[in-house]
Amino acid sequence: QVQLVESGGGLVQTGGSLRLSCTVSGSFVTLGALTWYRQVLGEQRELVASIDNVGSPMYAASWKGRSTISRDNAKNTMYLEMNNLKPDDSGVYYCNALVRTAVATAVGNYWGKGTLITVSS
């Protein structure tokens, strides 16, 4: 069974920084793209940043220039450095992974339980 565990959230002041981590564990043969999403209560999840299996990043427009996504394939872990945080960045941040659990099977879509970030003004 594949599990994703996020860490690194918390309370930070406007202009501060945080580093999120997401570790994927369990039995699988391929770990594909890893993605961070943000969700505010009552709203849909929105993409923050994504990184493919060879390390190519992609950012939502509002995060370009103030965040850096990376991954350590040896540790099956993804990171998100977030800088110059604003109150509007508050929310629950979820990790998503595309995982193939066995050869010749379909890629599955897995989610972590989220980590809360609160940016105070």
Side-chain angles (χ1 to χ4, degrees):
Q1 186 173 356
V2 176
Q3 290 187 323
L4 280 63
V5 178
E6 303 99 332
S7 62
L11 176 63
V12 64
Q13 291 185 334
T14 296
S17 298
L18 283 174
R19 187 193 196 210
L20 302 183
S21 299
C22 170
T23 298
V24 183
S25 63
S27 178
F28 52 88
V29 295
T30 305
L31 182 58
L34 298 170
T35 304
W36 287 103
Y37 288 83
R38 170 184 163 272
Q39 187 171 28
V40 176
L41 190 63
E43 299 182 9
Q44 288 189 330
R45 290 182 187 181
E46 58 182 28
L47 187 145
V48 175
S50 185
I51 187 166
D52 66 14
N53 59 342
V54 294
S56 297
M58 185 272 291
Y59 301 94
S62 62
W63 288 99
K64 285 182 180 178
R66 61 188 188 101
S67 67
T68 302
I69 190 170
S70 60
R71 65 190 285 167
D72 184 337
N73 288 333
K75 297 180 179 180
N76 295 325
T77 299
M78 167 177 62
Y79 307 97
L80 183 67
E81 295 276 356
M82 312 164 75
N83 302 306
N84 192 24
L85 287 165
K86 312 168 186 177
D88 284 349
D89 297 328
S90 298
V92 179
Y93 285 71
Y94 293 92
C95 172
N96 174 270
L98 299 181
V99 181
R100 191 184 304 276
T101 56
V103 175
T105 61
V107 172
N109 196 18
Y110 294 85
W111 293 90
K113 294 183 179 180
T115 185
L116 177 64
I117 291 178
T118 302
V119 184
S120 63
S121 57

